[in-house]
Amino acid sequence: MTSFGESHGKIVGVTVDGCPAGLALTEEDVQAEVDHRIPHDAKITSGRVEKDKVTIQSGVFNGFTTGAPITMTVENRDVDSSDYEDMKDLPRPGHADYTARVKFGGFNDYRGGGRFSGRITVALIMASAIAKRLLNQFGVDVFAYTKAIGNVKLDKSLDYEFVRSRRYKTSVRCPDEKCAEAMEEAIVKARKEGDSLGGIVEIIGANVPAGVGDPLFDALDSDIAKALFSIPAVKGVEFGAGFKSATLKGSENNDGFQITGKMVGTLTNNHGGVLGGISSGSPIVVRIAVKPTPSIAKEQQTVALTTMENATLRVVGRHDPCVVPKAVPAAEAAVAITLADHMIRAGFIPRVLKAQEQ
Ligand SMILES: Cc1cc2nc3c(=O)[nH]c(=O)nc-3n(C[C@H](O)[C@H](O)[C@H](O)COP(=O)(O)O)c2cc1C
């Protein structure tokens, strides 16, 4: 996929290449995914409200993908760039303003964070509508949820069906209502203090067949991590027991094999569904660490780039006090796209779908 557009430009869009021909796809299918992006709860989100009406521009004919590149777009409508004029000389700590200015010599569109804005995840989410429909036809499901916000953690293991059906029912995208309330309170409190919070999102790839992925550089876990790190504010990725596995003994960390029916399975899932870069048949379980939103109202130290003097900055304008709820559908999207790509490459998904598979 190629994503394009900026936060305050005309459109944000995506071109997906390599999608098999013969997949039933409508704008409504894509719209349904995009509608999950923004929680409708003004207490915990930025004041910017984009209605995001999806248009499929190419690659779909008579309701089916043609095998040609598929381009999809949404328009930016609720744009207010006024706050960014004062800030263009004062890079926001924790944001990409400084590194973008160094790399692009000041030519980059800094309004609303430009290409570095969380808004760009709408491209990923549009692309994932295709990936999810493909995966669903082959029995694979991808879903994510908020596991922690700041110090509020959901520490119990959850039934996958519960997560799948409940994840978008709360504004923080945590399927457990009680925990979701505590998370929401934590966000509201941080916002009142002029601050922000981060958190953890867990993503599950269910029913992924064994044998998807390649060793070394095209490893399934490498590619999933790469896609997840392409979501702004993601600062850590772990599979299965992840960083905790460094403290376990081999006897504790190894997942014993067992036969269930005629299939090989594992007794536990510390490996997170990937061994040697190849799926094992156990669920893919990945977690991402999402940092607190950089743009905060508290005073912070920065520099004035034209005069090269130290300065201070309080970020004004419309910002998410916590990006974790919006990162949930983006994380689902990153994993779904990577799995679909690998399943096509490995021949699990054919290049042309048969009519009876619809
Ligand atoms: C969905 C989403 C929404 C975001 N909203 C904001 C925001 O309102 N304000 C902000 O400063 N950063 C926001 N971010 C985070 C920045 O885009 C990100 O921290 C910045 O581009 C620097 O990239 P890095 O954190 O990956 O290094 C958001 C991120 C995502 C994924």
Side-chain angles (χ1 to χ4, degrees), residues 154-169:
L154 181 63
D155 255 342
K156 54 183 172 192
S157 65
L158 296 173
D159 174 63
Y160 284 166
E161 184 44 38
F162 178 76
V163 174
R164 206 188 56 73
S165 60
R166 304 276 322 157
R167 66 202 198 279
Y168 288 116
K169 302 272 188 221

PDB file of all heavy atoms in Angstrom, residues 154-169:
ATOM      1  N   LEU A 154      -5.868  -3.600  32.233  1.00  0.00           N
ATOM      2  CA  LEU A 154      -6.807  -4.723  32.213  1.00  0.00           C
ATOM      3  C   LEU A 154      -5.952  -5.979  32.308  1.00  0.00           C
ATOM      4  O   LEU A 154      -5.329  -6.382  31.328  1.00  0.00           O
ATOM      5  CB  LEU A 154      -7.605  -4.707  30.909  1.00  0.00           C
ATOM      6  CG  LEU A 154      -8.636  -5.810  30.747  1.00  0.00           C
ATOM      7  CD1 LEU A 154      -9.717  -5.693  31.804  1.00  0.00           C
ATOM      8  CD2 LEU A 154      -9.265  -5.764  29.373  1.00  0.00           C
ATOM      9  N   ASP A 155      -5.893  -6.562  33.512  1.00  0.00           N
ATOM     10  CA  ASP A 155      -4.913  -7.620  33.724  1.00  0.00           C
ATOM     11  C   ASP A 155      -5.477  -9.033  33.634  1.00  0.00           C
ATOM     12  O   ASP A 155      -4.785  -9.975  33.927  1.00  0.00           O
ATOM     13  CB  ASP A 155      -4.203  -7.420  35.082  1.00  0.00           C
ATOM     14  CG  ASP A 155      -2.794  -6.883  34.857  1.00  0.00           C
ATOM     15  OD1 ASP A 155      -2.311  -7.024  33.713  1.00  0.00           O
ATOM     16  OD2 ASP A 155      -2.206  -6.316  35.784  1.00  0.00           O
ATOM     17  N   LYS A 156      -6.755  -9.170  33.249  1.00  0.00           N
ATOM     18  CA  LYS A 156      -7.268 -10.542  33.151  1.00  0.00           C
ATOM     19  C   LYS A 156      -7.247 -11.003  31.696  1.00  0.00           C
ATOM     20  O   LYS A 156      -7.285 -10.174  30.779  1.00  0.00           O
ATOM     21  CB  LYS A 156      -8.665 -10.620  33.749  1.00  0.00           C
ATOM     22  CG  LYS A 156      -9.659  -9.641  33.193  1.00  0.00           C
ATOM     23  CD  LYS A 156     -10.989  -9.775  33.937  1.00  0.00           C
ATOM     24  CE  LYS A 156     -11.935  -8.696  33.534  1.00  0.00           C
ATOM     25  NZ  LYS A 156     -13.104  -8.557  34.348  1.00  0.00           N
ATOM     26  N   SER A 157      -7.188 -12.331  31.519  1.00  0.00           N
ATOM     27  CA  SER A 157      -7.208 -12.802  30.134  1.00  0.00           C
ATOM     28  C   SER A 157      -8.675 -12.863  29.672  1.00  0.00           C
ATOM     29  O   SER A 157      -9.570 -13.225  30.440  1.00  0.00           O
ATOM     30  CB  SER A 157      -6.524 -14.154  29.986  1.00  0.00           C
ATOM     31  OG  SER A 157      -7.245 -15.114  30.673  1.00  0.00           O
ATOM     32  N   LEU A 158      -8.890 -12.482  28.436  1.00  0.00           N
ATOM     33  CA  LEU A 158     -10.257 -12.323  27.941  1.00  0.00           C
ATOM     34  C   LEU A 158     -10.571 -13.345  26.865  1.00  0.00           C
ATOM     35  O   LEU A 158      -9.698 -13.738  26.085  1.00  0.00           O
ATOM     36  CB  LEU A 158     -10.426 -10.920  27.345  1.00  0.00           C
ATOM     37  CG  LEU A 158     -10.271  -9.737  28.300  1.00  0.00           C
ATOM     38  CD1 LEU A 158     -10.287  -8.443  27.509  1.00  0.00           C
ATOM     39  CD2 LEU A 158     -11.375  -9.736  29.343  1.00  0.00           C
ATOM     40  N   ASP A 159     -11.813 -13.729  26.834  1.00  0.00           N
ATOM     41  CA  ASP A 159     -12.306 -14.608  25.783  1.00  0.00           C
ATOM     42  C   ASP A 159     -12.270 -13.835  24.456  1.00  0.00           C
ATOM     43  O   ASP A 159     -12.717 -12.683  24.391  1.00  0.00           O
ATOM     44  CB  ASP A 159     -13.750 -14.978  26.163  1.00  0.00           C
ATOM     45  CG  ASP A 159     -14.422 -15.769  25.087  1.00  0.00           C
ATOM     46  OD1 ASP A 159     -13.946 -16.872  24.810  1.00  0.00           O
ATOM     47  OD2 ASP A 159     -15.414 -15.259  24.508  1.00  0.00           O
ATOM     48  N   TYR A 160     -11.725 -14.458  23.416  1.00  0.00           N
ATOM     49  CA  TYR A 160     -11.538 -13.741  22.148  1.00  0.00           C
ATOM     50  C   TYR A 160     -12.865 -13.262  21.562  1.00  0.00           C
ATOM     51  O   TYR A 160     -12.938 -12.189  20.975  1.00  0.00           O
ATOM     52  CB  TYR A 160     -10.809 -14.614  21.124  1.00  0.00           C
ATOM     53  CG  TYR A 160      -9.319 -14.738  21.403  1.00  0.00           C
ATOM     54  CD1 TYR A 160      -8.552 -15.702  20.773  1.00  0.00           C
ATOM     55  CD2 TYR A 160      -8.687 -13.876  22.301  1.00  0.00           C
ATOM     56  CE1 TYR A 160      -7.189 -15.824  21.025  1.00  0.00           C
ATOM     57  CE2 TYR A 160      -7.333 -14.000  22.569  1.00  0.00           C
ATOM     58  CZ  TYR A 160      -6.594 -14.968  21.930  1.00  0.00           C
ATOM     59  OH  TYR A 160      -5.262 -15.071  22.185  1.00  0.00           O
ATOM     60  N   GLU A 161     -13.904 -14.061  21.704  1.00  0.00           N
ATOM     61  CA  GLU A 161     -15.198 -13.654  21.146  1.00  0.00           C
ATOM     62  C   GLU A 161     -15.715 -12.398  21.862  1.00  0.00           C
ATOM     63  O   GLU A 161     -16.284 -11.492  21.246  1.00  0.00           O
ATOM     64  CB  GLU A 161     -16.194 -14.819  21.236  1.00  0.00           C
ATOM     65  CG  GLU A 161     -17.544 -14.555  20.599  1.00  0.00           C
ATOM     66  CD  GLU A 161     -17.483 -13.860  19.230  1.00  0.00           C
ATOM     67  OE1 GLU A 161     -16.587 -14.160  18.419  1.00  0.00           O
ATOM     68  OE2 GLU A 161     -18.362 -12.988  18.974  1.00  0.00           O
ATOM     69  N   PHE A 162     -15.458 -12.342  23.183  1.00  0.00           N
ATOM     70  CA  PHE A 162     -15.853 -11.180  23.979  1.00  0.00           C
ATOM     71  C   PHE A 162     -15.118  -9.931  23.462  1.00  0.00           C
ATOM     72  O   PHE A 162     -15.714  -8.876  23.246  1.00  0.00           O
ATOM     73  CB  PHE A 162     -15.520 -11.458  25.453  1.00  0.00           C
ATOM     74  CG  PHE A 162     -15.837 -10.324  26.381  1.00  0.00           C
ATOM     75  CD1 PHE A 162     -17.143 -10.063  26.757  1.00  0.00           C
ATOM     76  CD2 PHE A 162     -14.822  -9.507  26.888  1.00  0.00           C
ATOM     77  CE1 PHE A 162     -17.449  -9.018  27.623  1.00  0.00           C
ATOM     78  CE2 PHE A 162     -15.111  -8.455  27.746  1.00  0.00           C
ATOM     79  CZ  PHE A 162     -16.428  -8.203  28.110  1.00  0.00           C
ATOM     80  N   VAL A 163     -13.817 -10.071  23.228  1.00  0.00           N
ATOM     81  CA  VAL A 163     -13.015  -8.938  22.738  1.00  0.00           C
ATOM     82  C   VAL A 163     -13.520  -8.509  21.359  1.00  0.00           C
ATOM     83  O   VAL A 163     -13.754  -7.325  21.093  1.00  0.00           O
ATOM     84  CB  VAL A 163     -11.513  -9.319  22.641  1.00  0.00           C
ATOM     85  CG1 VAL A 163     -10.714  -8.184  22.002  1.00  0.00           C
ATOM     86  CG2 VAL A 163     -10.948  -9.658  24.009  1.00  0.00           C
ATOM     87  N   ARG A 164     -13.718  -9.508  20.501  1.00  0.00           N
ATOM     88  CA  ARG A 164     -14.106  -9.210  19.106  1.00  0.00           C
ATOM     89  C   ARG A 164     -15.431  -8.445  19.053  1.00  0.00           C
ATOM     90  O   ARG A 164     -15.571  -7.459  18.346  1.00  0.00           O
ATOM     91  CB  ARG A 164     -14.217 -10.521  18.323  1.00  0.00           C
ATOM     92  CG  ARG A 164     -13.995 -10.392  16.831  1.00  0.00           C
ATOM     93  CD  ARG A 164     -14.310 -11.669  16.102  1.00  0.00           C
ATOM     94  NE  ARG A 164     -15.680 -12.105  16.370  1.00  0.00           N
ATOM     95  CZ  ARG A 164     -16.772 -11.518  15.877  1.00  0.00           C
ATOM     96  NH1 ARG A 164     -16.668 -10.481  15.081  1.00  0.00           N
ATOM     97  NH2 ARG A 164     -17.973 -11.972  16.190  1.00  0.00           N
ATOM     98  N   SER A 165     -16.386  -8.911  19.860  1.00  0.00           N
ATOM     99  CA  SER A 165     -17.719  -8.306  19.768  1.00  0.00           C
ATOM    100  C   SER A 165     -17.860  -7.026  20.596  1.00  0.00           C
ATOM    101  O   SER A 165     -18.741  -6.215  20.333  1.00  0.00           O
ATOM    102  CB  SER A 165     -18.791  -9.318  20.193  1.00  0.00           C
ATOM    103  OG  SER A 165     -18.561  -9.718  21.524  1.00  0.00           O
ATOM    104  N   ARG A 166     -16.997  -6.807  21.600  1.00  0.00           N
ATOM    105  CA  ARG A 166     -17.203  -5.681  22.521  1.00  0.00           C
ATOM    106  C   ARG A 166     -16.189  -4.544  22.360  1.00  0.00           C
ATOM    107  O   ARG A 166     -16.313  -3.515  23.006  1.00  0.00           O
ATOM    108  CB  ARG A 166     -17.115  -6.169  23.988  1.00  0.00           C
ATOM    109  CG  ARG A 166     -18.035  -7.273  24.371  1.00  0.00           C
ATOM    110  CD  ARG A 166     -19.428  -6.838  24.766  1.00  0.00           C
ATOM    111  NE  ARG A 166     -19.451  -5.606  25.526  1.00  0.00           N
ATOM    112  CZ  ARG A 166     -20.488  -4.799  25.620  1.00  0.00           C
ATOM    113  NH1 ARG A 166     -21.593  -5.096  24.974  1.00  0.00           N
ATOM    114  NH2 ARG A 166     -20.437  -3.709  26.344  1.00  0.00           N
ATOM    115  N   ARG A 167     -15.183  -4.741  21.535  1.00  0.00           N
ATOM    116  CA  ARG A 167     -14.052  -3.800  21.567  1.00  0.00           C
ATOM    117  C   ARG A 167     -14.438  -2.371  21.192  1.00  0.00           C
ATOM    118  O   ARG A 167     -13.847  -1.421  21.693  1.00  0.00           O
ATOM    119  CB  ARG A 167     -12.892  -4.292  20.702  1.00  0.00           C
ATOM    120  CG  ARG A 167     -13.191  -4.337  19.200  1.00  0.00           C
ATOM    121  CD  ARG A 167     -12.232  -5.319  18.562  1.00  0.00           C
ATOM    122  NE  ARG A 167     -12.097  -5.181  17.128  1.00  0.00           N
ATOM    123  CZ  ARG A 167     -12.954  -5.684  16.247  1.00  0.00           C
ATOM    124  NH1 ARG A 167     -14.063  -6.281  16.630  1.00  0.00           N
ATOM    125  NH2 ARG A 167     -12.712  -5.558  14.949  1.00  0.00           N
ATOM    126  N   TYR A 168     -15.396  -2.207  20.304  1.00  0.00           N
ATOM    127  CA  TYR A 168     -15.764  -0.846  19.899  1.00  0.00           C
ATOM    128  C   TYR A 168     -16.991  -0.318  20.650  1.00  0.00           C
ATOM    129  O   TYR A 168     -17.547   0.702  20.278  1.00  0.00           O
ATOM    130  CB  TYR A 168     -15.966  -0.772  18.386  1.00  0.00           C
ATOM    131  CG  TYR A 168     -14.635  -0.869  17.655  1.00  0.00           C
ATOM    132  CD1 TYR A 168     -14.354  -1.933  16.810  1.00  0.00           C
ATOM    133  CD2 TYR A 168     -13.645   0.089  17.860  1.00  0.00           C
ATOM    134  CE1 TYR A 168     -13.119  -2.032  16.179  1.00  0.00           C
ATOM    135  CE2 TYR A 168     -12.413  -0.008  17.239  1.00  0.00           C
ATOM    136  CZ  TYR A 168     -12.158  -1.064  16.404  1.00  0.00           C
ATOM    137  OH  TYR A 168     -10.932  -1.159  15.787  1.00  0.00           O
ATOM    138  N   LYS A 169     -17.380  -1.023  21.708  1.00  0.00           N
ATOM    139  CA  LYS A 169     -18.561  -0.582  22.469  1.00  0.00           C
ATOM    140  C   LYS A 169     -18.216   0.504  23.489  1.00  0.00           C
ATOM    141  O   LYS A 169     -19.093   1.201  23.973  1.00  0.00           O
ATOM    142  CB  LYS A 169     -19.198  -1.766  23.212  1.00  0.00           C
ATOM    143  CG  LYS A 169     -19.622  -2.890  22.296  1.00  0.00           C
ATOM    144  CD  LYS A 169     -21.031  -2.681  21.787  1.00  0.00           C
ATOM    145  CE  LYS A 169     -21.490  -3.907  21.035  1.00  0.00           C
ATOM    146  NZ  LYS A 169     -22.233  -3.640  19.844  1.00  0.00           N
TER     147      LYS A 169
END
